[in-house]
Amino acid sequence: MATATHLLTEKEATAHPPAEAVVVRFAGDSGDGMQLTGGQFTLSTALAGNDLATFPDFPAEIRAPQGTTFGVSAFQINFGSAAIDTAGDAPDVLIAMNPAALKVNVDSLREGGLIIADEGEFTARNLAKAGYEQNPLEDGSLAKWQLVHFNISQLTLDAVKPFGLGNKEALRCKNMWTLGLALWMFDRDRQPIVDWLNQKFAKAPELAEANVAALNAGHAYGETVEMGAPFKQHHIAPAPAEPGLYRTVTGAEALALGLVAGCQLAGIGMFFGSYPITPASPLLHHLARLKEFGITTFQAEDEIAAICAAIGASYAGQLGITSSSGPGIALKTEALGLAIMTELPLIVVNSQRGGPSTGLPTKTEQSDLYQAVYGRNADSPLPVVAARSPADAFECAIEACRIATRYMTPVMLLTDGYIANAAEPWKVPDMSEYAPFPVAFFDKQPAEGEGVMPYARNDELARPWIKPGTPGLEHRIGGIEKQPGTGNIDYSPGAHQKMTETRHQKVANVADSIPDQDVCLGREGAELVVVGWGSTFGPIHQAVRRALAKGQDVAHVHVRHIWPMPKNMSVLLKGFKHILVPEMNMGQFKTVLRDQYLVDAKPLTKVSGHPFRIAEIEAAIDAALGA
């Protein structure tokens, strides 16, 4: 089984056994449990010590007609014995549960890759639904791939027959049969999955027993069937890792934990107000399970109520946080302007998806950058931070909490559908290594004859945070322009000029407390720099690594602080001869770089709803260097 998704470093190339990686994609109907299967295979892979990255890909339809291409759900995992940065380009193995799953996914499979198909689902009716005129398992159209097929449906029914389930209920165990086969193929331990099934179906032990039986039957089939070289057991050695406690996290999980950690480091409580929207909803689900950390979670009746409740919480002395995706962020924008005018700390998480309008609700994109940086009425700047991977969302959440409380400003934290749903191993950090940034509420009463000054400024231009009800510090803040210092209503030309300039400079001052931008691969002043932000990190990093191995003079710069950017960005970028900016939009960050630094940044755009493949960026590097 070829494994060509990870370019070996010199150290990895001389490893014994050699480092390798495999990409597997599970695909089936949205009712076949492919996300569940992929999630449990991910668990077993993490426990085996492999590095990994995943990519869940599911339809937008709540329940598309069964067996149609519209309803195909897939889960891809790239795992190996070396560092894994992406979910992989072309799968090495495709497990297709029906004709529609094969039709949608087979062209992504690398040439010579392995197809495992459930022939029991390749009926005339299902073939017609998927748009096949002939059975692809029999007509030779799959000749450039290795193909094995057997009746997984019937084998599952046989395995669970002793438990007296109805036909429909018995076929729901098919994903566990398939998982058992995959566990055998890659030499995985079944016991953690058995334990999980017994826990999941603790109140229905007959379902637990049936699913365990299906899991064991799939594993036993792999052990006993003799199908030749394409279909054999393959062991992937553990990846080297620093000692420590590891767990697998999705971006939504890491973000939830990071927000909790940020509030703990600030020494304040958290209020999270949200309204359900794909792909932002999991953040609310995870935070609702963490109430022992002083969290109040609130599912509002709409997006506007969610952010207004969060602003109210910040006014009251907690850190208000709200979350949505692009369409919901648009609804929150007016209230976000209120938070900017009142200068209250607030975190707005934007889990980007394809758009505009309803767009591609379950697909990924990076097209809300303009919305984050420029997308409000009037001059209303706010800091913008972008996570580059699921695990990095933890660090970015803490950074957003630090900036919001230190500078008394709303902060927008950008993730996307890929980061929110994908998973990777995460070394659980030692929180004693994080410097606290405790909030100091203003409680000093003014001298006799003086008024409260809610818009007085410290050296960084942040105003004081005054808890309502503090004796002697009664004050007003609101959305109408203020007199500098006092907070009294004043919309005279001079007051507005002064306050607008102050709010602008306060956000610009954030650059004083963020690190200089580094070059994460390659050298400063290279002939070509590939500049990325957000979830493009993995494919850019691997493509630049491959380019360096070919002797090309290329570097990778990845930006976390989108606005304001690090203070050395201008000098750093102008030291490179050519600048390439891959992003999953039509060139938004490229425009920001041109706007701010007058550099000739060239775009590489993709808006298919899927992440970049390494090969796409590698080809763009070759073209930029004239290779």
Side-chain angles (χ1 to χ4, degrees):
M1 195 175 299
T3 57
T5 60
H6 177 77
L7 183 71
L8 305 182
T9 64
E10 184 177 347
K11 182 178 179 181
E12 292 163 355
T14 57
H16 298 285
E20 56 183 331
V22 174
V23 182
V24 177
R25 183 180 297 179
F26 300 90
D29 194 77
S30 57
D32 285 338
M34 291 297 96
Q35 304 304 320
L36 190 70
T37 303
Q40 292 307 304
F41 187 78
T42 299
L43 170 65
S44 69
T45 299
L47 291 172
N50 299 132
D51 198 9
L52 63 94
T54 71
F55 175 49
D57 187 19
F58 38 86
E61 289 80 3
I62 293 173
R63 191 66 179 93
Q66 192 169 0
T68 63
T69 55
F70 303 107
V72 172
S73 177
F75 186 100
Q76 182 164 306
I77 177 170
N78 182 13
F79 59 98
S81 57
I84 300 294
D85 292 315
T86 78
D89 279 11
D92 299 298
V93 180
L94 171 63
I95 300 175
M97 304 301 287
N98 63 13
L102 181 69
K103 183 80 174 278
V104 170
N105 292 283
V106 71
D107 288 334
S108 300
L109 189 66
R110 67 162 181 82
E111 190 168 340
L114 175 63
I115 301 170
I116 300 173
D118 177 9
E119 66 181 33
E121 289 293 316
F122 280 69
T123 62
R125 186 165 180 263
N126 284 348
L127 289 167
K129 280 184 181 180
Y132 282 116
E133 294 182 1
Q134 295 179 301
N135 190 338
L137 304 183
E138 301 170 352
D139 66 3
S141 61
L142 305 177
K144 66 178 180 179
W145 298 288
Q146 301 175 79
L147 173 66
V148 295
H149 52 90
F150 31 84
N151 196 333
I152 294 176
S153 298
Q154 187 59 52
L155 289 165
T156 303
L157 291 174
D158 294 342
V160 303
K161 189 175 181 181
F163 303 97
L165 302 181
N167 200 63
K168 185 176 180 181
E169 212 166 26
L171 284 174
R172 286 180 180 160
C173 301
K174 194 165 58 168
N175 62 334
M176 286 299 110
W177 194 100
T178 306
L179 178 59
L181 180 68
L183 294 177
W184 171 82
M185 284 180 66
F186 296 103
D187 195 19
R188 299 278 185 260
D189 183 10
R190 280 168 288 162
Q191 192 57 46
I193 313 302
V194 172
D195 294 342
W196 173 80
L197 286 168
N198 286 326
Q199 182 181 9
K200 180 177 176 63
F201 296 110
K203 295 182 179 179
E206 70 283 355
L207 291 180
E209 292 173 359
N211 278 281
V212 170
L215 181 81
N216 290 334
H219 194 278
Y221 189 85
E223 287 180 311
T224 56
V225 72
E226 297 181 3
M227 301 191 73
F231 189 73
K232 62 182 181 181
Q233 193 170 53
H234 193 81
H235 179 78
I236 304 289
E242 295 178 11
L245 175 64
Y246 286 81
R247 60 164 291 184
T248 299
V249 289
T250 65
E253 289 172 323
L255 188 55
L257 293 171
L259 291 171
V260 170
C263 288
Q264 295 283 312
L265 291 167
I268 55 174
M270 179 203 301
F271 177 92
F272 184 80
S274 186
Y275 180 75
I277 184 173
T278 302
S281 299
L283 181 56
L284 173 60
H285 303 161
H286 292 303
L287 285 172
R289 302 187 188 105
L290 300 172
K291 292 187 177 179
E292 66 269 26
F293 295 103
I295 301 170
T296 301
T297 52
F298 170 55
Q299 180 174 312
E301 66 268 29
D302 56 44
E303 299 282 7
I304 299 169
I307 187 172
C308 287
I311 292 171
S314 290
Y315 178 59
Q318 292 200 327
L319 181 55
I321 304 172
T322 190
S323 170
S324 192
S325 191
I329 299 296
L331 291 168
K332 295 179 189 292
T333 300
E334 182 182 359
L336 188 52
L338 173 63
I340 291 169
M341 179 67 88
T342 55
E343 299 185 52
L344 284 167
L346 177 77
I347 295 175
V348 180
V349 180
N350 183 350
S351 298
Q352 301 165 96
R353 69 189 202 185
S357 188
T358 309
L360 308 174
T362 62
K363 307 301 180 185
T364 196
E365 211 165 88
Q366 292 180 298
S367 52
D368 294 347
L369 187 75
Y370 285 161
Q371 185 182 40
V373 176
Y374 302 121
R376 289 164 297 282
N377 62 295
D379 284 292
S380 46
L382 55 74
V384 180
V385 179
R388 73 184 194 184
S389 70
D392 187 55
F394 177 83
E395 304 291 339
C396 289
I398 292 176
E399 177 69 346
C401 293
R402 183 192 71 82
I403 293 172
T405 55
R406 178 170 175 172
Y407 293 92
M408 291 294 287
T409 178
V411 177
M412 189 167 290
L413 173 52
L414 296 176
T415 71
D416 57 40
Y418 174 51
I419 290 176
N421 295 314
E424 66 178 354
W426 175 54
K427 184 181 179 184
V428 179
D430 180 357
M431 291 309 298
S432 66
E433 297 177 359
Y434 287 75
F437 40 88
V439 167
F441 291 101
F442 186 80
D443 58 3
K444 185 179 179 181
Q445 295 190 20
E448 189 174 344
E450 295 183 4
V452 179
M453 301 288 282
Y455 285 90
R457 306 284 171 180
N458 64 14
D459 292 342
E460 295 172 328
L461 300 182
R463 76 169 186 87
W465 195 355
I466 306 172
K467 276 190 179 181
T470 305
L473 293 180
E474 294 81 4
H475 66 287
R476 295 183 304 173
I477 59 175
I480 300 180
E481 190 58 281
K482 307 290 180 289
Q483 184 182 72
T486 70
N488 296 330
I489 292 174
D490 185 350
Y491 41 85
S492 64
H496 181 54
Q497 182 80 34
K498 177 67 173 176
M499 291 296 280
T500 300
E501 290 172 350
T502 301
R503 289 189 292 265
H504 180 274
Q505 187 58 48
K506 181 180 73 170
V507 172
N509 288 348
V510 172
D512 293 335
S513 68
I514 63 177
D516 280 350
Q517 182 62 51
D518 65 342
V519 178
C520 52
L521 203 58
R523 68 176 185 89
E524 289 190 27
E527 185 175 357
L528 171 69
V529 62
V530 186
V531 180
W533 68 278
S535 64
T536 56
F537 175 84
I540 292 175
H541 206 66
Q542 290 283 23
V544 171
R545 180 183 289 182
R546 292 181 182 183
L548 289 170
K550 292 190 292 187
Q552 293 173 317
D553 189 15
V554 61
H556 177 197
V557 167
H558 214 78
V559 183
R560 169 183 285 179
H561 294 89
I562 303 296
W563 194 270
M565 279 183 271
K567 297 175 81 170
N568 69 324
M569 276 293 284
S570 179
V571 172
L572 180 66
L573 291 180
K574 289 176 180 177
F576 297 102
K577 186 175 180 181
H578 300 288
I579 301 172
L580 178 68
V581 186
E583 47 188 331
M584 292 183 291
N585 56 47
M586 293 305 291
Q588 296 183 21
F589 192 50
K590 169 268 302 177
T591 302
V592 174
L593 293 177
R594 287 180 175 179
D595 164 36
Q596 292 297 299
Y597 305 117
L598 301 179
V599 292
D600 187 19
K602 299 292 175 62
L604 174 62
T605 65
K606 182 175 183 176
V607 285
S608 66
H610 288 126
F612 273 104
R613 291 184 295 113
I614 302 166
E616 292 171 331
I617 297 176
E618 195 176 6
I621 290 172
D622 289 342
L625 295 174

